[in-house]
């Protein structure tokens, strides 16, 4: 940009004495402007000074003109008169046409020569008159010569060469024209003349230098102003900011085109309008107050973001300004800059929204929930007025995600959020904590409000959720709710979270689809469970686990055909812990995998000591079936103990197949390839889907003990169920085992109904492996 300007100051970067004398200057640019100003100053002074000198000349001629023949004066008078007439005519013409602001070398030096010629004309008069005048006349003529010298050197004060010519010519003539022996022909007079001439010369040089320096400074300021102007124009044209100026009252005094465009108004409409009147009073916040204060206090302001309504669109401007003063230092207003930051602010609001709200449902996220929780707990404890925390967990959300896809799952979560919002009607904070987990903070937990809200949530979320064409009318998900009160149940956020979580755990453990309030017994049970988790982690290593074996008997001849391996935990302090108490813990913690491997290894180790026809059955957890390494461990154990695969029977339940996991199907296929047998455990108590029997190569169906216990005679309901299962198994070439056969009558009935095997206390309680080995050895010997 500066290259485009070609500022004149570039030609006068160095101001030296050669330039002051008029030498070494360029013909155009800055120096042409300087020469023009020098001639302009000369033209201003010449008319008066020449007029005065003409009067002086006339007076001198009137007094001393007769002292010499006219012919001796004529050439100098002609030159003086001609130059005076030429300058007068030139001055008249300049008034009509104007004085040029620049001058070339030719014009400048021509005028310089004219001034020098004028000085020579006066010097000629001195040579003609001084020698013939008496002493008093000589003194008068010298005085008028000094006047002439001063008048011309002052008029040409910014033209040092012209001053040098005039002063040099006249001073020299004044000294040389005095006749020898004249009273004024002395060294003192010579010294005075020389001093006067030097003073005029120095004054001319100094004045010229100062004038040129001033012109240079003006040129630099003009150049800088032009650069700033172009930069500001380019700044407004290419940038998003604009310039503004205010008067002392805060009214707009300068409105740029860019500003008018952004404000969507005409420049004329904005001029004179208070800046504060553009701000939306309904949304004016701290920044608007700070702006009003700064204008009133005449203080600078910076990046104050204020709302500005433009029709139906609300924009946000960032304003900065600094006070400005006049030459006397009085405050005259502000000069500043504005910037539209609407998009930046919207982005910041969006980021803040994402940081505190769930992007899927629009509910509060975990971070905002935590902040609100701390505030609610603090106020509830301080006021002793109860508040409630409800945890909501969807019961069958995973089935929707797996069956219909994540898009359907997201759609379902949004509907859940809408239903929860409709239930609370803005009187509570609802948060999505992650996945299908929600939390509701009820600031007013008095009376039965939490209980009623929890019941309504369970009822409302039990209604079908439409999923469009994929849902085919809707899906039923259901929800479990656990809740607790502050300060009744807890006095800190952490404690309240724990209490509500325990209540939810209680609901889910009891069958889901219900609501439950926390009570102290839950904490005790949780502590007991936590202790069992810790102790169970060490139980295997400390040899606290043991296997018991219960005989499985052939219903036809009552011979033992196998044993079922049953796991027992002998706790050093709590004694014998039932499997129903610790197996779920092992499954939840993943300990069931190493424990299950140990069970299989021990069961096969004892089976290796039994006769070849005696099988061993081991129960498998669904968690174990998720382990891709399970077939490898079983194959290694079979090989290690030398037990044929067909002697190992793995008992699994129907629940294993509900999720239809491909990984589980792969494990089943690999186990089937090993040659092991499968038994379907607890058939008749679950879904009892016939399709389940096709999911694996089952060799046996185990009839649950509840049917055996209720069966009393042929033809009753339980007996009919047993008989139906037996016939189904027979049609599929499967054996059946009746569990829980404790009496002879029950055994005879099961045998009559067609069961091929029985298992129960009638033929033996679970026994240690040594006793089981002794039993089969005794029967083999008999």
């Amino acid at each position: 940009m500066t290259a485009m300007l070609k500022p004149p100051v570039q030609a006068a970067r160095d101001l030296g004495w050669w330039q002051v004398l008029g030498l070494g200057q360029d013909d155009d640019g800055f120096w042409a402007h300087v020469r023009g100003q020098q001639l302009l100053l000369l033209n201003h002074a010449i008319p008066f000074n020449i007029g005065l000198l003409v009067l002086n000349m006339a007076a001198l001629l009137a007094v001393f003109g007769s002292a010499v023949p006219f012919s001796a004066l004529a050439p100098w008078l002609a030159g003086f008169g001609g130059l005076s007439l030429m300058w007068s005519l030139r001055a008249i013409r300049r008034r009509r046409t104007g004085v040029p602001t620049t001058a070339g070398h030719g014009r400048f030096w021509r005028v310089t020569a004219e001034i020098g010629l004028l000085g020579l004309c006066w010097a000629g008069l001195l040579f003609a008159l001084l020698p013939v005048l008496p002493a008093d006349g000589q003194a008068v003529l010298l005085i008028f010569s000094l006047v002439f010298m001063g008048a011309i050197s002052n008029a040409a004060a910014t033209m040092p060469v012209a001053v040098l010519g005039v002063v040099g010519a006249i001073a020299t003539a004044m000294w040389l024209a005095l006749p020898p022996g004249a009273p004024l022909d002395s060294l003192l007079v010579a010294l005075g003349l020389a001093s006067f001439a030097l003073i005029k010369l120095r004054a001319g040089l100094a004045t010229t230098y100062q004038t040129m320096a001033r012109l240079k400074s003006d040129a630099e300021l003009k150049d800088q102003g032009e650069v700033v102007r172009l930069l500001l124009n380019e700044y407004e044209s290419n940038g998003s900011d604009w310039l503004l100026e205010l008067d002392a009252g805060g009214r707009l005094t300068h409105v740029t085109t860019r500003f008018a465009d952004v404000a969507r108004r005409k420049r004329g409409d904005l001029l004179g309008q208070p800046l504060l009147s553009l701000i939306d009073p309904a949304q004016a916040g701290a920044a608007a107050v700070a702006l009003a204060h700064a204008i009133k206090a005449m203080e600078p302001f910076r990046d104050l973001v204020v709302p500005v309504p433009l029709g139906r669109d609300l924009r946000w401007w960032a304003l900065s300004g600094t006070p400005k003063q006049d030459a006397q230092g009085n405050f005259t207003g502000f000069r500043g800059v504005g910037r539209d930051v609407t998009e930046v602010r919207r982005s910041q609001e969006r980021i803040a929204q994402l940081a505190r709200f769930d992007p899927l449902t629009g509910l509060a996220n975990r971070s905002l929930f935590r902040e609100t929780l701390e505030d609610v707990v603090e106020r509830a404890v301080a006021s002793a007025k109860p508040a409630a925390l409800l945890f909501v967990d969807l019961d069958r959300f995973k089935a929707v995600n797996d069956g219909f896809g994540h898009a359907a799952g997201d759609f379902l979560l949004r509907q859940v959020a809408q239903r929860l919002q409709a239930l609370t009607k803005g009187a509570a904070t609802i948060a999505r904590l992650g996945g299908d987990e929600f939390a509701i903070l009820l600031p007013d937990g008095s009376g039965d409000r939490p209980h009623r809200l929890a019941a309504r949530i369970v009822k409302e979320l039990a209604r079908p959720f439409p999923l469009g064409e994929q849902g085919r009318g809707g899906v039923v998900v259901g929800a479990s709710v656990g809740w607790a009160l502050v300060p009744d149940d807890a006095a800190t956020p952490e404690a309240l979270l724990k209490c509500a979580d325990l209540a939810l755990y209680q609901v889910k453990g009891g069958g889901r689809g219900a609501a439950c309030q926390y009570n102290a017994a839950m904490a005790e049970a949780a502590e007991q469970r936590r202790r069992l988790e810790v102790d169970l982690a060490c139980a295997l290593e400390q040899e606290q686990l043991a296997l018991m074996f219960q005989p499985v008997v052939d219903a036809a001849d009552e011979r033992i055909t196998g044993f079922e391996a049953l796991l027992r935990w002998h706790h050093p302090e709590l004694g014998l812990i039932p499997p129903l108490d610790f197996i779920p813990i092992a499954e939840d913690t993943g300990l069931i995998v190493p424990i299950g491997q140990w069970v299989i290894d021990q069961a096969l180790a004892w089976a290796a000591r039994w006769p070849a026809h005696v099988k061993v059955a081991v129960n498998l957890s669904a968690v174990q079936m998720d382990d891709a390494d399970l077939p490898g461990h079983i194959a290694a154990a079979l090989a290690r103990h030398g037990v044929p695969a067909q002697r190992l029977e793995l008992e699994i339940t129907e629940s294993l197949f509900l999720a239809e996991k491909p990984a589980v199907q792969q494990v089943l296929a690999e186990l089937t390839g090993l040659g092991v047998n499968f038994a379907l455990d607890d058939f008749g108590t679950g879904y009892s889907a016939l399709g389940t029997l096709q999911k694996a190569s089952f060799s046996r169906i185990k009839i649950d003990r509840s049917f055996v216990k209720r069966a009393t005679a042929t033809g009753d309901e339980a007996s009919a169920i047993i008989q139906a299962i037996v016939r189904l198994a027979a049609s599929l070439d499967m054996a059946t085992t009746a569990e829980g056969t404790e009496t002879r009558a029950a055994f005879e009935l099961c045998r009559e109904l067609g069961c091929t095997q029985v298992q129960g206390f009638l033929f033996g309680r679970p026994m240690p492996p040594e006793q089981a080995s002794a039993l089969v050895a005794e029967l083999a010997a008999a």
Side-chain angles (χ1 to χ4, degrees), residues 26 36 64 193 212 336-338 422 430 442 471 523 559 562 581 635 653 739:
D26 293 336
F64 303 120
L193 289 174
M212 288 184 176
V337 64
I430 309 173
L442 197 61
R559 289 186 305 108
D581 289 346
T653 61
E739 294 184 291

Side-chain angles (χ1 to χ4, degrees), residues 356-377:
R356 298 170 63 84
F357 293 89
D358 175 46
L360 177 63
T361 61
L363 301 177
N365 63 8
R366 187 179 293 272
S367 175
L368 179 57
F369 165 75
R370 181 70 190 193
E371 293 179 15
T372 309
L373 173 66
E374 292 177 355
D375 181 62
V376 169
V377 170

Side-chain angles (χ1 to χ4, degrees), residues 451-524:
H451 174 75
R452 288 188 289 107
L453 177 60
R456 290 202 305 270
I457 290 173
V458 172
K459 181 180 179 181
E460 184 66 20
L461 298 187
R463 294 193 301 108
F465 287 90
L467 296 181
E469 296 182 359
Q470 289 182 326
R472 296 179 183 178
V475 294
V476 177
V477 177
S480 301
V481 181
W483 57 281
L485 294 174
V486 57
D488 297 13
D489 299 325
T492 65
E494 290 74 16
L496 184 61
L497 289 169
K498 182 178 180 181
C499 291
D501 192 52
L502 288 174
L504 179 62
Y505 180 81
Q506 183 76 12
V507 176
K508 295 167 71 175
R512 302 173 182 267
C516 177
Q517 182 183 3
Y518 167 82
N519 59 59
M522 296 178 186
E524 296 175 3

Side-chain angles (χ1 to χ4, degrees), residues 347-655:
S347 298
Q348 292 173 343
E349 292 175 349
R350 178 60 178 163
I351 292 172
Q353 175 81 8
L354 293 175
R356 298 170 63 84
F357 293 89
D358 175 46
L360 177 63
T361 61
L363 301 177
N365 63 8
R366 187 179 293 272
S367 175
L368 179 57
F369 165 75
R370 181 70 190 193
E371 293 179 15
T372 309
L373 173 66
E374 292 177 355
D375 181 62
V376 169
V377 170
E378 182 179 357
R379 284 190 284 107
V381 171
S383 64
K385 295 181 180 179
L389 170 63
L390 293 82
F391 276 161
V392 181
D393 188 82
L394 302 183
D395 294 334
R396 289 173 289 278
F397 174 72
K398 189 175 185 301
V400 175
N401 241 2
D402 294 342
F404 299 101
H406 291 288
D410 291 346
F411 184 59
L412 172 63
L413 291 174
R414 286 192 290 268
Q415 293 185 74
V416 170
Q418 292 170 0
R419 293 191 186 185
L420 292 177
Q421 289 173 321
L423 288 172
T424 58
K425 297 178 181 179
T429 298
I430 309 173
R432 179 183 174 221
L433 303 183
D436 59 348
E437 301 175 3
F438 297 83
I440 300 176
L441 276 171
L442 197 61
D444 182 7
S446 59
D448 64 345
R449 294 187 76 246
H451 174 75
R452 288 188 289 107
L453 177 60
R456 290 202 305 270
I457 290 173
V458 172
K459 181 180 179 181
E460 184 66 20
L461 298 187
R463 294 193 301 108
F465 287 90
L467 296 181
E469 296 182 359
Q470 289 182 326
R472 296 179 183 178
V475 294
V476 177
V477 177
S480 301
V481 181
W483 57 281
L485 294 174
V486 57
D488 297 13
D489 299 325
T492 65
E494 290 74 16
L496 184 61
L497 289 169
K498 182 178 180 181
C499 291
D501 192 52
L502 288 174
L504 179 62
Y505 180 81
Q506 183 76 12
V507 176
K508 295 167 71 175
R512 302 173 182 267
C516 177
Q517 182 183 3
Y518 167 82
N519 59 59
M522 296 178 186
E524 296 175 3
E527 177 58 27
Q528 177 69 15
R529 176 185 171 88
R530 187 198 64 79
R531 181 183 176 187
L532 289 179
E533 288 180 1
V534 174
D535 293 345
L536 184 59
C538 305
L540 185 60
E541 182 179 320
Q542 297 178 1
E543 298 183 352
Q544 298 174 11
L545 300 180
L547 286 184
M548 305 290 280
F549 292 92
Q550 186 175 28
V552 178
V553 176
D554 189 296
D557 55 14
E558 301 183 24
R559 289 186 305 108
I560 294 177
T561 60
F563 289 91
E564 180 180 1
L566 303 172
L567 183 62
R568 296 293 183 265
W569 180 14
H570 296 276
H571 194 280
E573 297 178 6
L574 302 178
L576 185 63
I577 299 178
L580 290 178
D581 289 346
F582 73 85
I583 292 298
I585 295 177
E587 291 178 332
D588 291 343
T589 60
L591 291 172
I592 193 66
V593 173
I595 291 175
Q597 293 174 4
W598 177 84
V599 169
I600 291 173
D601 187 78
Q602 290 296 307
L604 291 175
W606 286 105
R609 306 179 186 183
W610 303 334
H613 71 280
V614 179
K615 298 182 178 181
V616 64
V618 177
N619 289 278
L620 284 185
S621 164
V623 178
Q624 289 177 272
M625 294 299 292
D626 285 333
D627 182 17
D629 297 330
L630 178 63
H633 289 300
I634 293 179
L638 290 170
R640 183 164 52 251
H641 299 293
V643 177
Q646 60 268 23
R647 290 185 60 194
L648 175 63
E649 187 174 72
L650 302 176
E651 297 186 7
I652 55 180
T653 61
E654 290 179 274
S655 60

Side-chain angles (χ1 to χ4, degrees), residues 675-698:
V676 300
N677 295 309
F678 291 97
L680 184 59
D681 199 9
D682 299 334
F683 189 77
T685 60
Y687 291 89
S688 300
L690 298 181
T692 303
L693 300 175
Q694 298 177 333
K695 299 293 178 65
S697 301
F698 292 104

